[in-house]
Amino acid sequence: EYNSQKRFQTVVYFGSMNEQKAQDNFWQLKIYALLVREMVASGKGPKNLLIDGLHLRMLRLLYLTSDDDVGVYLDMDLGKTVEERDGVLQEVHADLSGIWRDICELVRKQDARAFVHCDRPFCSCHRVRPDFVRGTVWERESP
């Protein structure tokens, strides 16, 4: 984790939190896998990216350090068949398309207060929102 003093710190997560962090990070890797698949399918990818006929199947999440000061990795199998892998990547495509439609709708409204805080791990809106003048952007109601 990267803390507010711009230094790396070791954070220990347990059980379901570890699983959630891994799934959040794998979601980002699935986006890259989707982009690679689309580049190869369109013929726009680098020639050495994938060998013709080889389908992207495994994703590897690499942590450079751990509690033991040793790098560790987690693997995710996108599926045994091309159809399974395409199904997983199609879900990511649908998620991204929904996010894009939501963004376009918010831009169309031209109202900064219409953009409600999200919980997406890749989004920085929740970190930058406090920097805005009160009342100029959406604010969570106080309990």
Side-chain angles (χ1 to χ4, degrees):
E1 296 272 326
Y2 205 59
N3 68 21
S4 61
Q5 285 81 38
K6 300 194 188 275
R7 294 188 182 135
F8 284 100
Q9 63 186 8
T10 301
V11 178
V12 179
Y13 298 109
F14 297 96
S16 62
M17 180 56 95
N18 274 338
E19 179 66 24
Q20 183 60 48
K21 290 293 242 179
Q23 290 308 313
D24 290 346
N25 291 330
F26 272 123
W27 192 80
Q28 292 176 0
L29 285 178
K30 286 186 229 177
I31 292 171
Y32 296 129
L34 174 66
L35 293 172
V36 167
R37 183 189 73 175
E38 297 302 313
M39 284 175 38
V40 169
S42 70
K44 295 181 181 175
K47 299 296 181 215
N48 63 351
L49 187 60
L50 290 177
I51 300 168
D52 287 339
L54 180 65
H55 297 279
L56 184 60
R57 177 176 174 180
M58 299 297 292
L59 301 179
R60 176 164 282 178
L61 183 57
L62 180 63
Y63 293 97
L64 299 178
T65 189
S66 67
D67 293 334
D68 300 326
D69 288 330
V70 179
V72 295
Y73 63 88
L74 300 172
D75 287 334
M76 173 183 270
D77 188 344
L78 292 174
K80 292 181 181 179
T81 66
V82 173
E83 292 77 19
E84 286 178 64
R85 295 188 291 270
D86 283 345
V88 169
L89 296 181
Q90 196 55 38
E91 286 178 27
V92 173
H93 184 272
D95 288 347
L96 289 174
S97 295
I99 292 167
W100 181 250
R101 282 190 301 276
D102 292 347
I103 290 170
C104 289
E105 179 61 22
L106 288 169
V107 170
R108 187 191 64 72
K109 287 180 180 180
Q110 292 294 299
D111 180 2
R113 291 170 303 228
F115 181 74
V116 177
H117 168 82
C118 78
D119 293 319
R120 295 182 185 108
F122 60 85
C123 184
S124 64
C125 74
H126 47 284
R127 289 191 304 267
V128 299
R129 192 168 300 278
D131 296 338
F132 287 89
V133 174
R134 240 179 125 66
T136 61
V137 295
W138 177 86
E139 296 173 29
R140 197 176 299 277
E141 291 183 22
S142 299

